[in-house]
Amino acid sequence: MIDAARAELVTAKDPYFRGIEADADLPDGMSVRPVESSWPKGARIFLFDGGNGWMIYSFIRHAEDPQIIVEEVFWQ
């Protein structure tokens, strides 16, 4: 399940999932939202397995090789 969530995150066109219904293309049971609404380019929480697991990540832009840094993973 964690690998499936990671694969969705890595292949996303926009890892920030900006806009209304931006995460609508994710499979059922997965969604993304900002950790802090006051910091629009800050960390995101990626919920999976119907909310039983999450990954908190941030996106660091680089010119040629963007990086997604996973800060925390939890799944029960």
Side-chain angles (χ1 to χ4, degrees):
M1 186 64 67
I2 291 171
D3 287 339
R6 183 186 146 289
E8 290 293 334
L9 184 60
V10 170
T11 59
K13 292 179 184 176
D14 179 10
Y16 285 123
F17 291 95
R18 293 174 281 215
I20 298 170
E21 301 282 330
D23 59 358
D25 292 336
L26 292 174
D28 289 339
M30 293 185 181
S31 64
V32 176
R33 63 178 179 233
V35 172
E36 294 182 44
S37 62
S38 61
W39 194 21
K41 291 190 177 182
R44 296 286 189 260
I45 185 164
F46 187 97
L47 301 167
F48 59 92
D49 193 20
N52 291 318
W54 67 77
M55 282 192 284
I56 296 176
Y57 71 95
S58 56
F59 183 70
I60 300 174
R61 291 190 187 273
H62 291 281
E64 294 184 20
D65 187 20
Q67 294 181 5
I68 297 170
I69 308 298
V70 175
E71 300 167 6
E72 180 179 336
V73 176
F74 178 82
W75 187 30
Q76 61 177 359

